[in-house]
Amino acid sequence: MASGGNSRSSTPDVDYTEADTESDQMDTEDVSKSTEMDHHEPCIMPNPIERGIMILRRANSDTEKFAALLMVTKLIKAEQLDEDSKKRIMDAVGLDFLARLLKTSDVPEGCPPFMFKSISLTILTCFISSCVGNPTLYGLIPVLSDIISKPELYDGDLTLVKDSFQCLKCIASERSGRKAIIDFEAVGPLVDAYVAESFCYEEALEILLLVLAEEGPRTWEDEPEAFTKLMDNMAHEFAVDQTERKFNLCEFITELLQSLPVTATSTGSPSWKKDLHKGLSDMILSKLGREQRDKALRLAGVAMESLGVSWILQADYGAPADGKGRQVLLMMVHLACIEVRMSLEDKTFKEAVALASPTTACYTILELAINFLVNGAVNFEQKQKQQLYAALKGAFNAVLIFLKASFDESFSENPRNHLFVCATIRVLGAWLAEETAANKEEVYATIPFIIKTCRYNFDWNNKKAALKSKKKSQSKISSKDDDENLPDIFRFLLPGLCHLTAEDKPRSLLLELELENLLFEYLHYHWNSIRCVFGPQSKTEELEMPAEIVNSATEAMETICNIFMNIVVQEPEKVKIDPFYYSLLKFIFMKVPDIPSESPHLRLCGNFSILGLMILRHQHPNVKSTDFTIFRFVQTTVRFLWDAHNVEESHDYATLVVSTKYESHWGSLMDLWFLGMHTLSLLLPSIPWLCDFLIESEWPQTIIQTLISVRDGGVDPGLKSALEDFLCLLAKSSRAAFNIMKEKGVDQVCKNHKFEELSKVFSLSTAKSEKAVGTLECFYLFANLKPNHRNVNITLTELSVWKLSHWFSLLRCSFGSFDKLRLPISKQMKPGWINGGKTSGRGFYQRIGTKSLDELYSLWKSERLNQLSLKPSVTSMLDELATDFNLGLITNGPSVAQWEKINEIGCKKYFDSIIVSGDLEVEKPDKDIYYMACGELQVRPSECIMVGDKLETDILGGLNAGLAATVWINSKNKDPAKEIQPTFTINNVTQLPDILPNLTTILQTEDQTHDCD
């Protein structure tokens, strides 16, 4: 570019129109403006600013504009300019004019090579605040980036570099400018400038921090390698520096880690992670002042959140956890506990909030450490565990005290105060998810405040979302509508609420606080937040929903289902009469069929389905048979249960295995599946059409056909028991089901897999099917006459010969000759065994009226109980054991029948706890029934021994519950199953004292192992 405008530029990066020279291009820009202004010149002399603007506008060529700029600098003093004046002057100069000057490399001969760049940047730096938001300004970012990344080219005029940094800093101060810096890939040059420590390199870091603070991980979206380069540099300096700068770097690295790109955790050089670990470990294990410790803990919290707790355990990155790593983690947690107590104890509400920044950093450490440590990932020494638990307990006692002191504070009116209270509730949720035994009364005292805060946040966010939606429809969204929502702290409380609703006192309190309504609303909210995943949307639309949002919402809904399950089990009468649960049931009926059957959604489908079955047990009288939604619900639920197992995916096609689709989630699906089978089975007698529905679906037929093809031992014992119970209840509840199951070969299933209970059902029912019209099989009636005894199954094949003789004698005394009584006998009994050979295998008949049947039932019940007794050797043993041990009894069976037996034989006095499965929703071998017994005895499972005579229930249940030992009473000298191995085997219960020394050794060993717990 020539000052006279007569030379033609060949610069390729300037966009020209048809003009003779580059100067002509700039000269013609403001001609029309100047011409117009000439007609409106005031007659009076304007002030210096107005004169300067007038001169600039009158310039008709680049030469005149340069001259005008020189005059303006003499006319106007910097202190005379306000923002409005700067904007007017900049408009007169023209940002396009400065942009062309900055981009050109053509200068008059003999002039400095960067003369035009220098002039342009000098002017732009002075007036850039008036240009923010202008796209033309953002278009200069590549030029500015080039200048700062190659300062060696401008050694003769470093003011260019300094001015470029100033311009970029001003651009980064505005939201659209920060996005432009990322979009124009200026992040890399800024990193290069800092790493090279070139002229003004500290300015580069300041600009980067401005962008990072607002844009986070998006900063590195297009240049992930820039993050690694910057972190490598900073982390290395952080590791080796031993001066006060180490703590400045600590703050910088904290900001960097908060913007960690996803790719940086799995790709790139790991050297910065190793250096970061070394530098942080040195700080944590050193004696620090309060301010220095706060900085170290803040970095520790961010590092744990970004890189995972396991990273802390690796003293040498990439190596397994060692002693130093455990020491660092322990010290972090202890320091965090101390900091929390110092910040909250003996402080007023305002004083505690003033220390919010370091305290919340410690909350992060505690939350992450608790979630990690409860999984047993670190094998701490016994003393370390005790110290750690004591430290955590003390910290959360301080948290509870602070929350209690917050009751009367109007914290919701102050955003800072409110956010700190929310952070405190969140970390308490992490503690309650794992520990509800400590500080019980303090926890109960804070529950109303916590639920109130959760309700406040939830309602606020809902109102805001509704208002935003309304404004969006009216196209009236303002910048204020972009404010962040209040924290969703209820999400973090759900696991703790799951534990609290399992206990009587907190559950009662939570129900008084209308927790059910809040949970239902929250369930609605999360369902609606991801309903596009479940709807008829296309695959493209489904992919638009971020995976983390779907996973978070799904996990929340699953936990809500678990909370409701606790309430349903513990409050059956409330569930039966409360209309709320009918509404919840209808919601489940409507939503379950929409959940996809793919693997990622199986847990959600299972939780919804099983909760629906559990509520249906109590609410089925209110469900109309014409309600089509219940059929769709049952269909989906059956599909969830049906698809869980097959033989096609087994290695030999003769083993029933978990389906591939379920396998990856089976750890969490297994309990749901067994609970679902149990609950569905219990529903069969209550809902007649359910049996017909199942038969029409051909699921029971498929189960039978599958079991016929499965080899002996090819079914897991727990699965075998669940299928047998289901088939038993189905056969008892429906004559049609019984006949079809018989046709499909249920006898062969019983024979192949030793289904004793199912064999009994079909043995009795076979006899029933052979009787003449209008007659009844009396022993089957004994099991069904009284509502309280309809689950009792008495079959002839269960009774020994002497029992049969006794029963027949009683019947003869009560009803006269056998000519009047029809009583089918099992085909296994030979004629002549009973009544001196006068009976036949075909049986005797009698039509018995209602009154006679009642008398017969009473007689049978009386004689059955008379045959039950405890031998003196057993009572003597129980008396002896009771002096040194707590004794508990767990028995499966209907409540009334089992308690009648217990009372009749007088065994209550020998036991400190008696649990009957008929009083509960679970039975042996479910581990939960063992945990209930441990709770009543106030002992840990590891301090208990199970003694029983049934491998598939007693011993398997003890193994499932993790008891210290199991003792099998093998009175019939059976071979134990390979899958179930008891610790000890005896032939008679009275042999138990003989093995007590061995059992006592086991208990002492377990007690030492878990002493700190």
Side-chain angles (χ1 to χ4, degrees), residues 69 78 81-83 86-87 89-90 93-95 98-99 101-102 116-132 137 140 144 147-148 157-171 173 199-200 203 207:
L69 286 171
L81 294 174
D82 56 21
E83 286 301 317
K86 288 181 180 180
K87 187 177 186 311
I89 292 174
M90 192 64 203
V93 172
L95 183 58
L98 296 180
L101 283 179
L102 188 60
F116 290 138
K117 288 184 187 305
S118 181
I119 294 172
S120 176
L121 275 176
T122 300
I123 298 171
L124 189 59
T125 303
C126 293
F127 297 96
I128 192 168
S129 60
S130 63
C131 304
V132 172
L137 175 64
L140 299 178
L144 300 174
I147 293 173
I148 65 171
D157 189 3
L158 288 176
T159 305
L160 273 172
V161 179
K162 183 178 180 180
D163 288 345
S164 295
F165 275 120
Q166 285 295 107
C167 290
L168 286 171
K169 186 186 294 186
C170 189
I171 292 173
S173 65
F199 181 67
C200 291
E203 299 279 350
I207 296 168

Side-chain angles (χ1 to χ4, degrees), residues 138-210:
Y138 298 155
L140 299 178
I141 290 176
V143 181
L144 300 174
S145 300
D146 186 65
I147 293 173
I148 65 171
S149 62
K150 300 174 184 177
E152 66 278 3
L153 298 179
Y154 307 98
D155 283 344
D157 189 3
L158 288 176
T159 305
L160 273 172
V161 179
K162 183 178 180 180
D163 288 345
S164 295
F165 275 120
Q166 285 295 107
C167 290
L168 286 171
K169 186 186 294 186
C170 189
I171 292 173
S173 65
E174 199 267 337
R175 183 178 181 182
S176 60
R178 291 188 290 271
K179 291 183 177 180
I181 286 176
I182 297 171
D183 293 339
F184 282 102
E185 299 185 358
V187 172
L190 287 167
V191 169
D192 292 339
Y194 177 80
V195 171
E197 297 187 6
S198 57
F199 181 67
C200 291
Y201 73 99
E202 294 288 357
E203 299 279 350
L205 181 59
E206 189 175 343
I207 296 168
L208 284 170
L209 292 176
L210 281 173

Side-chain angles (χ1 to χ4, degrees), residues 228-242 246 253 269-283 299 307 311 314-317 324:
T228 304
K229 185 174 184 179
L230 180 59
M231 188 58 92
D232 279 343
N233 177 272
M234 278 196 169
H236 178 70
E237 186 178 359
F238 180 61
V240 299
D241 194 286
Q242 300 300 323
K246 192 180 191 78
I253 294 174
S269 170
S271 62
W272 66 266
K273 298 176 185 177
K274 178 180 177 181
D275 287 336
L276 176 60
H277 193 289
K278 182 182 183 305
L280 183 58
S281 299
D282 290 344
M283 294 179 72
L299 175 58
L307 303 176
W311 169 79
Q314 298 166 335
D316 184 8
Y317 183 74
K324 185 179 179 182

Side-chain angles (χ1 to χ4, degrees), residues 567-614:
I567 298 173
V568 172
V569 170
Q570 301 289 343
E571 306 283 345
E573 291 303 316
K574 176 179 176 60
V575 175
K576 186 180 296 184
I577 63 175
D578 194 338
F580 167 84
Y581 285 93
Y582 179 73
S583 300
L584 176 58
L585 186 62
K586 286 291 295 179
F587 175 83
I588 294 172
F589 285 173
M590 294 291 294
K591 304 305 182 185
V592 166
D594 292 337
I595 302 176
S597 59
E598 286 83 3
S599 180
H601 308 298
L602 280 176
R603 287 193 308 179
L604 182 63
C605 180
N607 276 282
F608 266 103
S609 298
I610 308 316
L611 175 61
L613 289 178
M614 293 174 70

Side-chain angles (χ1 to χ4, degrees), residues 876-904:
S876 176
M877 180 196 68
L878 290 174
D879 283 330
E880 180 184 349
L881 293 177
T883 60
D884 297 315
F885 297 91
N886 292 325
L887 301 181
L889 173 66
I890 304 175
T891 176
N892 282 358
S895 177
V896 174
Q898 298 303 88
W899 281 109
E900 284 177 347
K901 295 178 188 178
I902 292 167
N903 292 327
E904 179 65 26

Side-chain angles (χ1 to χ4, degrees), residues 51-52 55 65-76:
R51 289 177 62 194
I55 293 170
K65 186 157 290 190
F66 280 129
L69 286 171
L70 183 60
M71 292 179 65
V72 167
T73 59
K74 294 181 179 181
L75 281 172
I76 306 172

